């Protein structure tokens, strides 16, 4: 084949060489630019020498690949127009493959290829040619570049680089549905001949699939291919070059095609009738049976939903689908009773959840079956007539009082007798007992509603002769109220009486409490005890709304005179029969601010205003204890100091007097300096006492004027003066008695301004209002009361 192709190419190459020669001669490619030599003459002119024009004469060369001949393959000839044919020109070849792959005859310029070439490895070679003068080794032509191209032949078969292939196509697809496109590659030259022109054909897989000869697209060739009949197919595709002509090279690949599932098969029950036995003791929610419809499809196309379509079965049973096994699980919805109904018939429907409308012509994608459930009889425990019992009994009823009755019966056909008892695990059993045959519940002791208003017990019923079959029911016993608790006054807080209270003023509103129920209480009346004398301090008013008001009967109270008062109150309820109770309230007298704005004792008010918590008080006490400990330690250290054994003569201690007691009174004059009592002001007999209010001056017989003392200090008899003042103090009834020594001050004598003491202004009635002293706080309260009383007395 290679020989024939070479013979065919020879005339073509001869023509090509001839055209190249003509082209080179006419266009001088490559041509050597003629050089110009200039010679300067004596007369200044320039002589120009012209050399003959020369140029390369050579062809663009081609060489066939895969040449297997015994001789070197002729490539072409290089020739210069300077070559006269006498052997004076030597040709030299350089570049890619020069001397190894390509050789040149130095005399003739013929080029030969000594090795077989592969176009797929290297498609062309770049070389350089040079012509030298054999004698002088001068370059007759400049070095020129030319290319030798490797001519392609069909020596590579098509290949499928990515094979084998895996493909899928839905079952029941229409004819011509595209499955996969395969592509083969050919290493031959696609621009030369048909060596790389590929045609596809199918070798295996007919008549199910076909392939497009130009594009390699594989398509379905038969309609209604069923996955359930056949799922996998093997297709072999061939790719042939030379456009499929005889002598072309070929390659093949395998495609494994799988049909994917579609929902083209409805569910089917293997049988139309099923039967199962269920005991009546089965618990609600227990699975009692299962059935399964078959579906040849896969995945979601085989999902089935089961439904009970008849009301008889749907009321007593439910059905669900097991996702793993695709089974319908029938479960008990309500308790069974063999004595009431012995059989149930269920009509069950199985239907696909993902229907494909394209295959609706195949019929409804659902099926039905019948399940018959037979109820089995078992020996059941007794059944109470009610789910729970609520009974009642009055409190304080005697032991043995009937509370109520519970009843139970044997649900079985033989209806065995029942025995009753109370649950022994409950503490409430101590208050009740039950008749074993009749189920009558009675009390074992009187009940107290105020102690326990409700009792919860459990009654148990068991078959006679079979105590293992039993049932229980909760029983709630309500204890009804009787009026057995007298009312009493609620003492939530202490009753405070202000010292400034007036007659008719409401001191406190009290209410009553009763442990009995609302029906026997909550309607209260109040009164003071009739057997006691009339209370001069307080009275009681019934408000007729189950409250009463304590009212003051006299003006002004004093906590110094009497701090606590007791007030007995009689209260009775509105029950049948009515009960009466007496409560004694304690009333505390406290000094309050005017207008009753603060109803709180001074001591409590101090603590409240200080805002001291228990923790703060404890901290203060700890600080005081620490200070006391420091003082005791300091005193102990002082006492433990050692005094010197020898006292210096200069240590004079006559003026140091130590007192360990309170003194000897007025007659103990040895320890006092009597001169300290010789106050010039004390000698003035008509000096007013400081401890007497100004209103009392006239009662004591003193005048309004002040007399200057006429007796000298040394002449005053202090003993008589003090005795006289003590007598006057004892006889004065306007002030509290004093058992202490009276102290008198002296303002001085001869002062031009005189005295500024307010005691001198006794006879002048003040027009000043003293109500503002109430706003100054508790410290000025006593002063405000004194001046307020003084004003009222003067007015009177």
């Amino acid at each position: 084949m290679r020989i024939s192709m070479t013979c065919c190419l020879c005339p073509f190459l001869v023509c090509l060489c001839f055209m190249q020669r003509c082209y080179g001669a006419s266009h001088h490619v490559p041509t050597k630019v003629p050089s110009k030599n200039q010679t300067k003459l004596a007369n200044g002119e320039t002589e120009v020498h012209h050399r003959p024009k020369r140029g390369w004469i050579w062809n663009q060369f081609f060489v066939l690949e895969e040449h297997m001949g015994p001789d070197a393959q002729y490539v072409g000839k290089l020739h210069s127009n300077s070559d006269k044919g006498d052997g004076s020109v030597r040709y030299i070849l350089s570049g890619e493959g020069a001397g190894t792959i390509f050789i040149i005859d130095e005399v003739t310029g013929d080029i030969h290829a000594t090795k077989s070439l592969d176009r797929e490895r290297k498609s062309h070679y770049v070389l350089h040619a040079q012509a030298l003068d054999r004698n002088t080794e001068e370059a007759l032509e400049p070095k020129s570049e030319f290319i030798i191209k490797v001519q392609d032949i069909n020596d590579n078969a098509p290949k499928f680089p990515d094979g084998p292939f895996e493909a899928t196509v839905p079952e029941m697809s229409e004819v011509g549905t595209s499955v996969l496109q395969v592509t083969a590659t050919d290493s031959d030259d696609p621009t030369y001949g048909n060596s790389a022109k590929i045609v596809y054909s199918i070798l295996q897989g007919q008549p199910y699939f076909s392939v497009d000869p130009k594009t390699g697209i594989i398509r379905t060739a038969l309609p209604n291919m069923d996955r359930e009949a056949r799922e996998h197919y093997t297709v072999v595709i061939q790719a042939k070059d030379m456009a499929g002509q005889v002598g072309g090279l070929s390659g093949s690949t395998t495609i494994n095609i799988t049909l994917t599932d579609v929902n083209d098969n409805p569910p089917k029950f293997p049988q139309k009738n099923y039967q199962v036995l269920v005991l009546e003791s089965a618990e609600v929610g227990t699975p009692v049976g299962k059935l399964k419809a078959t579906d040849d499809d896969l995945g979601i196309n085989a999902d089935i939903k089961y439904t009970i379509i008849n009301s008889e079965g749907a009321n007593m049973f439910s059905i669900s689908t097991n996702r793993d096994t695709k089974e319908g699980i029938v479960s008990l919805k309500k308790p069974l009773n063999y004595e009431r109904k012995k059989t149930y018939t269920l009509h069950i429907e199985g239907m696909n959840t993902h229907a494909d409308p394209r295959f609706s012509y195949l019929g409804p994608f659902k099926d039905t079956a019948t399940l018959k459930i037979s109820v089995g009889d078992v020996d059941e425990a007794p059944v109470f007539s009610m789910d729970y019992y609520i009974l009642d009994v009055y409190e304080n009823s005697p032991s043995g009082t009937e509370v109520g009755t519970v009843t139970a019966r044997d649900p079985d056909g033989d209806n065995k007798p029942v025995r009753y008892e109370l649950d022994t695990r409950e503490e409430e059993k101590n208050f009740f007992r039950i008749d074993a045959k009749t189920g009558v519940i009675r009390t074992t002791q009187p009940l107290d509603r105020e102690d326990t208003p409700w009792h919860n017990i459990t009654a148990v019923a068991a078959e006679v002769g079979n105590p293992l079959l039993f049932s229980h029911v909760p029983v709630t016993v309500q204890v009804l109220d009787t009026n057995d608790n007298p009312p009493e006054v609620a003492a939530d807080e202490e009753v405070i009486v202000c010292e400034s209270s007036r007659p008719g003023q409401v001191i406190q509103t009290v209410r009553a409490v009763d442990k009995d129920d609302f029906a026997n209480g909550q309607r209260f009346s109040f009164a003071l005890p009739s057997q006691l004398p009339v209370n001069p301090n307080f009275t009681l008013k019934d408000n007729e709304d189950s409250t009463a008001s304590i009212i003051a009967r006299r003006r002004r109270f004093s906590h110094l005179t009497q701090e606590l008062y007791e007030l007995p109150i009689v209260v009775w309820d509105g029950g049948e029969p009515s009960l009466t109770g007496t409560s004694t309230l304690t009333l505390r007298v406290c000094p309050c601010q005017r207008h009753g704005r603060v109803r709180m004792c001074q001591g409590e008010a101090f603590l409240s205003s200080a805002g001291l918590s228990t923790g703060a008080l404890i901290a203060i006490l700890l600080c005081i204890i620490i200070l006391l400990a420091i003082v005791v330690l300091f005193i102990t250290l002082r006492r433990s100091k050692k005094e010197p054994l020898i006292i210096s003569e200069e240590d004079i201690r006559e003026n140091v007097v130590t007192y360990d007691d309170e003194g000897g009174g007025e007659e103990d004059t040895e320890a006092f300096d009597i001169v300290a009592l010789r106050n010039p002001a004390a000698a003035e007999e008509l000096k007013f006492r400081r401890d007497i209010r100004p209103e009392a001056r006239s009662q004591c017989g003193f005048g309004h004027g002040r007399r200057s003392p006429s007796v000298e200090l040394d002449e005053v008899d202090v003993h008589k003066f003090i005795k006289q003042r003590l007598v006057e103090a004892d006889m004065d009834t306007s002030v509290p008695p004093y058992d202490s020594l009276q102290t008198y001050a002296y303002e001085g004598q001869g002062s031009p301004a005189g005295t500024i003491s307010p005691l001198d202004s006794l006879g002048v009635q003040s027009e000043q209002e003293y109500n503002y002293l109430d706003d100054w706080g508790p410290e000025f309260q006593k002063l405000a009361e004194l001046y307020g009383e003084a004003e009222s007395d003067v007015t009177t």
Side-chain angles (χ1 to χ4, degrees):
M1 177 177 169
R2 290 195 177 98
I3 297 174
S4 62
M5 289 183 64
T6 305
C7 296
C8 295
L9 288 174
C10 287
F12 172 75
L13 293 177
V14 172
C15 295
L16 186 62
C17 292
F18 177 76
M19 292 174 65
Q20 183 64 31
R21 287 178 179 271
C22 296
Y23 178 81
S26 60
H27 292 83
H28 306 286
V29 180
T31 59
K32 183 176 180 182
V33 180
S35 60
K36 296 182 179 181
N37 296 328
Q38 298 179 353
T39 303
K40 192 174 182 180
L41 302 178
N43 56 4
E45 296 181 356
T46 302
E47 182 180 4
V48 181
H49 302 279
H50 297 277
R51 294 184 63 184
K53 182 172 64 175
R54 297 175 181 176
W56 280 101
I57 300 175
W58 53 279
N59 300 319
Q60 185 174 0
F61 304 116
F62 295 88
V63 60
L64 288 175
E65 67 170 334
E66 303 293 345
H67 176 70
M68 303 300 292
D71 299 328
Q73 183 181 186
Y74 178 76
V75 178
K77 184 181 182 64
L78 296 178
H79 182 72
S80 173
N81 56 5
S82 300
D83 188 359
K84 304 301 183 179
D86 54 359
S88 60
V89 178
R90 185 164 67 93
Y91 297 96
I92 300 176
L93 187 66
S94 62
E96 296 179 342
T100 57
I101 300 175
F102 304 100
I103 58 174
I104 188 171
D105 190 322
E106 294 183 352
V107 177
T108 62
D110 294 330
I111 302 174
H112 292 81
T114 62
K115 296 182 178 180
S116 177
L117 302 181
D118 188 358
R119 190 201 67 84
E120 286 70 37
R121 290 187 177 181
K122 190 172 181 64
S123 60
H124 66 277
Y125 295 85
V126 180
L127 292 96
H128 299 85
Q130 190 174 11
L132 301 177
D133 188 298
R134 187 179 295 276
N135 297 324
T136 62
E137 294 295 329
E138 292 182 358
L140 300 178
E141 302 289 347
K143 181 183 293 186
S144 298
E145 180 180 282
F146 66 95
I147 297 174
I148 299 178
K149 291 186 177 181
V150 181
Q151 191 74 33
D152 181 53
I153 63 174
N154 189 17
D155 59 343
N156 290 279
K159 295 180 180 180
F160 293 91
D162 298 329
F165 301 90
E166 299 288 339
T168 59
V169 63
E171 64 173 332
M172 309 297 289
S173 297
E174 297 180 356
V175 176
T177 301
S178 176
V179 179
L180 180 69
Q181 182 179 15
V182 293
T183 303
T185 59
D186 196 324
S187 300
D188 292 327
D189 189 359
T191 62
Y192 179 77
N194 294 327
S195 299
K197 189 175 182 179
I198 299 173
V199 174
Y200 300 95
S201 61
I202 184 169
L203 299 181
Q204 180 181 340
Q206 295 176 333
Y208 306 103
F209 299 95
S210 63
V211 64
D212 189 298
K214 293 182 179 180
T215 61
I217 297 177
I218 303 172
R219 302 178 186 274
T220 58
L222 284 180
N224 300 328
M225 286 192 295
D226 192 1
R227 184 199 65 82
E228 288 74 28
R230 182 177 178 182
E231 184 176 4
H232 300 286
Y233 295 86
T234 301
V235 178
V236 179
I237 301 298
Q238 182 188 63
K240 189 174 183 180
D241 59 10
M242 295 299 292
Q245 297 177 4
V246 178
L249 303 179
S250 64
S252 63
T253 187
T254 301
I255 301 96
N256 295 315
I257 300 176
T258 301
L259 297 183
T260 58
D261 184 64
V262 297
N263 192 7
D264 59 340
N265 293 278
K268 295 289 183 180
F269 284 103
Q271 59 190 64
K272 290 298 182 180
N273 296 293
Y274 297 86
Q275 189 171 1
V276 66
L277 175 65
V278 181
L279 296 178
E280 63 174 336
S281 60
E283 297 181 358
V284 174
T286 303
V288 297
K290 60 183 179 180
L291 67 167
K292 179 180 180 181
T294 59
D295 193 327
D296 295 332
D297 296 323
L298 299 176
I300 62 174
N301 296 321
D303 287 346
I304 301 174
K305 180 181 179 181
Y306 298 94
T307 308
I308 301 175
I309 59 178
N310 64 320
S311 59
E312 177 186 355
N315 290 334
M316 292 296 297
F317 301 90
S318 63
I319 189 169
S320 60
T321 304
N322 188 314
R323 293 186 177 181
D324 297 330
T325 62
K326 309 296 184 182
E327 293 176 330
I329 308 299
V330 180
S331 301
L332 186 60
K333 192 175 181 180
K334 295 180 180 180
L336 298 175
N337 191 330
Y338 174 81
E339 287 72 26
R340 293 182 181 179
K341 192 173 180 60
K342 297 178 176 57
T343 60
Y344 293 89
T345 301
L346 281 65
H347 298 292
I348 299 175
E349 179 184 77
M351 182 175 61
N352 283 143
T353 58
H354 298 81
D356 194 333
R358 296 179 301 170
F359 308 105
S360 59
Y361 63 91
L362 297 177
F365 281 73
K366 59 184 178 179
D367 195 13
T368 59
T370 301
L371 175 62
K372 184 177 181 180
I373 298 179
S374 300
V375 180
D377 186 23
V378 295
D379 193 5
E380 300 176 84
V383 177
F384 283 94
S385 60
M386 300 178 63
D387 294 334
Y388 59 90
Y389 292 84
I390 299 179
L391 309 177
D392 56 67
V393 62
Y394 280 98
E395 65 176 331
N396 302 322
S397 297
S399 177
T401 301
E402 180 178 344
V403 179
T405 304
V406 297
T407 57
R409 66 175 183 85
D410 184 10
D412 298 324
D414 50 4
N415 193 14
K416 296 179 181 179
V418 178
R419 180 180 180 84
Y420 302 94
E421 63 179 7
L422 296 180
D423 193 343
T424 57
R425 295 173 297 179
E426 298 178 352
E427 297 180 358
E428 301 289 349
K429 180 179 179 297
N430 299 328
F431 297 95
F432 305 94
R433 58 185 174 84
I434 189 172
D435 190 285
K437 295 182 178 181
T438 62
V440 176
I441 300 176
R442 300 179 183 275
T443 60
T444 59
Q445 56 183 298
L447 304 179
D448 188 2
R449 188 200 68 85
E450 287 71 35
D451 183 21
T452 306
W454 294 87
H455 294 269
N456 296 314
I457 59 178
T458 301
V460 180
E463 288 185 3
V464 175
N466 189 3
L468 297 179
L469 288 177
F470 65 90
S471 59
H472 55 272
V473 66
V475 179
T476 301
V477 179
Q478 181 184 10
V479 182
L480 302 180
D481 183 55
T482 60
N483 194 18
D484 59 341
N485 289 278
E488 57 185 13
V489 177
D492 297 337
E493 57 185 12
E494 189 177 27
V495 180
I496 302 298
V497 180
C498 290
E499 290 183 336
S500 60
S501 298
R502 299 181 302 275
Q505 181 177 349
V506 176
I507 302 300
Q508 180 92 0
T509 299
V510 296
R511 57 185 179 85
V513 293
D514 195 331
K515 296 180 180 180
D516 291 324
D517 196 5
F518 180 82
N520 293 313
Q522 307 302 324
R523 298 186 302 275
F524 304 105
S525 301
F526 302 84
L528 295 178
S530 58
Q531 66 273 16
L532 297 179
V534 177
N535 193 318
N537 301 312
F538 306 98
T539 185
L540 188 69
K541 178 186 177 183
D542 191 346
N543 297 325
E544 297 182 356
D545 59 354
S546 296
T547 63
S549 300
I550 302 174
I551 300 175
R553 298 192 63 176
R554 67 182 182 89
R555 181 176 179 269
R556 306 192 61 81
F557 294 86
S558 175
H559 74 285
L560 299 177
T561 304
Q562 183 174 350
E563 182 180 5
L564 300 177
Y565 291 88
E566 291 185 350
L567 182 65
I569 298 176
V570 179
V571 57
W572 60 90
D573 57 24
E576 292 293 339
S578 178
L579 295 181
T580 302
T582 302
S583 301
T584 302
L585 295 182
T586 300
L587 287 72
R588 179 182 297 275
V589 179
C590 293
C592 305
Q593 293 186 1
R594 296 188 67 179
H595 311 297
R597 283 178 291 180
V598 179
R599 302 179 61 84
M600 187 178 296
C601 292
Q602 291 181 351
E604 297 177 358
F606 172 75
L607 292 177
S608 176
S609 61
L612 297 178
S613 62
T614 304
L617 292 176
I618 294 175
I620 293 174
L621 292 176
L622 290 176
C623 294
I624 294 175
I625 293 173
I626 293 173
L627 291 176
L628 291 176
I630 294 174
V631 171
V632 172
L633 180 62
F634 179 74
I635 294 174
T636 304
L637 293 176
R638 289 286 301 271
R639 289 182 177 180
S640 63
K641 281 180 118 184
K642 295 182 179 180
E643 296 184 357
L645 300 177
I646 302 176
I647 301 176
S648 175
E649 294 180 357
E650 298 179 358
D651 188 4
I652 306 300
R653 302 192 182 188
E654 288 84 353
N655 295 331
V656 179
V657 181
T658 301
Y659 297 93
D660 294 333
D661 52 16
E662 296 183 356
E666 299 176 1
E667 298 178 358
D668 185 6
T669 59
E670 296 180 0
F672 295 91
D673 188 0
I674 198 64
V675 181
L677 297 176
R678 297 181 181 276
N679 194 327
E684 188 176 357
E685 295 182 0
L686 299 180
K687 178 69 178 178
F688 302 138
R689 282 177 53 186
R690 287 192 172 187
D691 58 339
I692 302 177
R693 291 178 293 184
E695 295 85 359
R697 288 188 178 184
S698 60
Q699 300 175 4
C700 297
F702 293 102
H704 296 285
R706 169 179 286 186
R707 295 181 299 173
S708 301
S710 59
V711 185
E712 296 298 329
L713 179 63
D714 295 335
E715 297 178 359
V716 174
D717 189 347
V718 178
H719 179 71
K720 292 182 179 181
F721 174 77
I722 293 176
K723 185 176 181 181
Q724 181 181 354
R725 288 294 182 262
L726 289 174
V727 172
E728 293 177 357
D730 293 337
M731 297 300 295
D732 191 356
T733 60
S734 62
V735 296
Y738 290 91
D739 295 332
S740 60
L741 182 65
Q742 304 298 315
T743 304
Y744 303 90
Y746 178 64
E747 296 185 2
Q749 299 179 356
S751 173
T755 179
I756 61 175
S757 172
L759 300 177
D760 294 336
S761 58
L762 174 65
V764 182
Q765 181 178 354
S766 175
E767 298 179 356
Q768 178 67 35
E769 293 287 343
Y770 298 102
N771 294 333
Y772 64 89
L773 293 177
D774 290 336
D775 300 332
W776 288 11
E779 296 83 356
F780 297 90
Q781 183 178 0
K782 189 65 178 178
L783 184 61
E785 293 179 357
L786 291 175
Y787 279 100
E789 291 179 357
E791 291 179 359
S792 62
D793 294 340
V794 171
T795 304
T796 304

